[in-house]
Amino acid sequence: MKVRLKDCTIEYQDRGEGAPLLLIHGYPLSRKQWDPQIDGLSGAARVIAPDLRGFGGSEAVAGDYTMEMLADDCHALLEGLDILQPVVVGGLSMGGYVTFAFYRKYPEWVAGLILAATRPGPDADPAKAKRDEAAALAQKGGSAAIAESMLPKMLSPKTYQNNPGLVGRVREIMESASVEGIRGALMGMKNRPDSTPLLEEIQKPVLVLHGADDQLIPPQEAEATHAKIKGSRLQILPDSGHLLCLEQPHLFNQAVREFLSTVES
Ligand code: MLT
């Protein structure tokens, strides 16, 4: 399905019935990273999964994509769907940065938060420099070059060994990103604010999910996030890297299902 927002057209999936669950994908991915959740959780919730601007089937608008802008897109999508109740917002990695921005701007829209493979802190200077290098690489070699450079870091060693089909699928998803989207998201992530001070202010139920073998964001960071959010739950999934929702779909969905039941009650 597609919807026209203020300055761009967004493609999204909306499946299932019940309390809404908004799932925000990571970089440089698309809503397709949530295929096992759309299939596995739509019996328990109304799963809404957008392609962020510049990714998947959504329009690639030129410019820097701040996390606030991406959160605004998600909020406008919910409004367009006439969702009138607070939603559980779940984001993976960059989707988590967007989730923090969403909570900052629209706390009254949030019933609970799922923070998957993400971190609250901003980019330090070396990470900012890497964003510029990646933007130059995308300009030169397109999304294929970005996929080539990122693929070895996205998954657990076990996944590379045992699940070549999934490795190929992740490459395909990354290659579907547009160069404008890659650049826009890189600049938005480079300049994102520090969400660490927000953690102690969060008043909603929070589930922190992380892969034990995440090479991009070490699980210790999830432990630190969990320690700062009062009443939060933490689950570290075995044999999964950065893309735990694809690598351990059953464990991921089970954790989310259990969490949703506590949010509803
Ligand atoms: C992601 O998976 O969304 C990105 O790796 C996050 C980042 O580059 O900071």
Side-chain angles (χ1 to χ4, degrees):
M1 279 169 280
K2 288 201 182 215
V3 63
R4 180 76 198 158
L5 305 181
K6 206 169 52 182
D7 66 338
C8 83
T9 300
I10 291 287
E11 193 165 278
Y12 66 99
Q13 225 158 329
D14 178 2
R15 176 140 34 116
E17 278 167 29
L21 170 64
L22 172 70
L23 293 178
I24 308 173
H25 66 78
Y27 161 92
L29 299 157
S30 78
R31 71 180 196 275
K32 296 221 172 343
Q33 77 161 68
W34 300 120
D35 278 352
Q37 284 65 49
I38 294 166
D39 285 344
L41 294 171
S42 54
R46 176 176 175 185
V47 184
I48 298 155
D51 283 337
L52 295 172
R53 55 174 65 205
F55 295 92
S58 289
E59 192 182 343
V61 180
D64 297 1
Y65 302 172
T66 64
M67 300 301 106
E68 286 67 27
M69 180 188 287
L70 298 176
D72 286 343
D73 287 346
C74 292
H75 177 255
L77 171 63
L78 295 176
E79 270 191 329
L81 291 172
D82 278 333
I83 290 178
L84 300 171
Q85 68 194 102
V87 304
V88 173
V89 183
L92 182 135
S93 202
M94 179 180 77
Y97 312 155
V98 178
T99 299
F100 288 127
F102 190 100
Y103 186 78
R104 216 170 1 251
K105 282 196 89 167
Y106 307 107
E108 72 285 2
W109 281 71
V110 173
L113 297 173
I114 300 168
L115 303 172
T118 195
R119 57 159 62 108
D123 276 8
D125 286 343
K128 285 184 199 270
K130 283 202 177 131
R131 303 288 187 199
D132 293 332
E133 285 168 20
L137 178 66
Q139 212 61 48
K140 202 161 147 235
S143 60
I146 294 291
E148 186 64 27
S149 74
M150 288 195 72
L151 196 57
K153 297 176 236 159
M154 298 299 263
L155 303 164
S156 142
K158 278 231 170 109
T159 306
Y160 292 110
Q161 214 168 28
N162 302 335
N163 199 345
L166 179 57
V167 179
R169 180 91 192 98
V170 170
R171 182 193 288 277
E172 234 174 68
I173 297 174
M174 292 198 283
E175 287 183 351
S176 77
S178 67
V179 170
E180 290 84 356
I182 289 171
R183 201 208 139 271
L186 283 167
M187 294 307 115
M189 290 193 286
K190 174 182 165 184
N191 296 313
R192 72 186 188 278
D194 185 4
S195 294
T196 313
L198 187 71
L199 301 182
E200 285 169 7
E201 293 167 22
I202 295 177
Q203 300 287 339
K204 305 284 167 155
V206 177
L207 172 62
V208 180
L209 279 174
H210 215 91
D213 306 329
D214 193 327
Q215 303 179 58
L216 288 175
I217 302 180
Q220 290 77 1
E221 295 207 31
E223 283 162 17
T225 297
H226 162 60
K228 290 200 174 95
I229 305 177
K230 200 161 160 242
S232 61
R233 306 170 156 219
L234 169 69
Q235 264 177 269
I236 308 275
L237 305 189
D239 299 332
S240 60
H242 197 54
L243 297 184
L244 59 163
C245 55
L246 287 166
E247 298 178 82
Q248 287 285 14
H250 298 296
L251 292 179
F252 190 99
N253 289 355
Q254 194 185 337
V256 172
R257 232 179 269 115
E258 278 170 23
F259 175 68
L260 292 179
S261 68
T262 68
V263 174
E264 280 156 14
S265 61

